[in-house]
Amino acid sequence: MKKNFLSYALCLCIMSFTSCTTNDVKEISGTIIIKDLGSHVFNINADNIDATIIMAGPEIENPLIYENVPLFRTSDYIAKIEVDDSGKLKSELLNNLVVMYEAEAGELPDQQLNHLMNSGFIKIEWTGLN
């Protein structure tokens, strides 16, 4: 009787330790859309990040698309959207204060600028491992 009880207790302990631990690596993804003027800081909490970056370019209908861009968990990224003194719209994506990508939309009338602000300046679609 004691042997049966000890064997059941041992099996129960082994099953409880092995069933609670997982080392599964899961793929996660997300989208970051920056629409507002100013500087926006973000960090993605994942490993092996592969991103597609879409920025408004000189022609609103044809944005600049950068595919297969590697991003890193340890980096702080800054998305800047600003209108300079001459009225030109400028979008930048920086990695730890170093410019990665930039686009200038040229001079835009206010109506087109409002349309562009509603559709978004910078869009980052990413996948990574958690």
Side-chain angles (χ1 to χ4, degrees), residues 3 6 8 12 35 38 42 47 70 80 84 88 99 105-106 109 127:
K3 287 184 181 181
L6 287 175
Y8 288 129
L12 183 63
K35 294 182 178 182
F42 64 93
D47 292 318
K80 284 186 178 182
D84 63 11
K88 293 183 180 179
V99 176
T127 59

Side-chain angles (χ1 to χ4, degrees), residues 3-38:
K3 287 184 181 181
N4 286 340
F5 178 73
L6 287 175
S7 63
Y8 288 129
L10 182 62
C11 285
L12 183 63
C13 288
I14 291 173
M15 287 191 323
S16 67
F17 283 119
T18 59
S19 65
C20 292
T21 60
T22 63
N23 292 331
D24 293 341
V25 176
K26 297 177 184 173
E27 183 173 285
I28 57 175
S29 63
T31 301
I32 299 170
I33 300 173
I34 310 290
K35 294 182 178 182
D36 300 325
L37 292 175

Side-chain angles (χ1 to χ4, degrees), residues 74-128:
T74 57
S75 295
D76 287 329
Y77 296 96
I78 301 171
K80 284 186 178 182
I81 302 166
E82 46 192 26
V83 178
D84 63 11
D85 295 335
S86 64
K88 293 183 180 179
L89 181 67
K90 184 176 181 180
S91 301
E92 294 180 328
L93 184 63
L94 295 88
N95 175 359
N96 291 333
L97 302 176
V98 177
V99 176
M100 292 173 57
Y101 302 103
E102 67 180 344
E104 283 192 18
E107 294 182 24
L108 297 173
D110 289 341
Q111 184 178 20
Q112 287 182 344
L113 181 60
N114 289 332
H115 170 70
L116 185 61
M117 291 173 75
N118 290 333
S119 63
F121 293 106
I122 301 173
K123 182 177 181 181
I124 302 162
E125 298 172 345
W126 60 271
T127 59

Side-chain angles (χ1 to χ4, degrees), residues 49-84:
I49 303 168
D50 183 40
T52 299
I53 299 171
I54 303 167
M55 300 176 76
E59 300 174 9
I60 297 172
E61 305 85 31
N62 300 320
L64 302 174
I65 300 173
Y66 304 99
E67 295 180 341
N68 302 322
V69 177
L71 301 179
F72 304 98
R73 174 193 300 256
T74 57
S75 295
D76 287 329
Y77 296 96
I78 301 171
K80 284 186 178 182
I81 302 166
E82 46 192 26
V83 178
D84 63 11

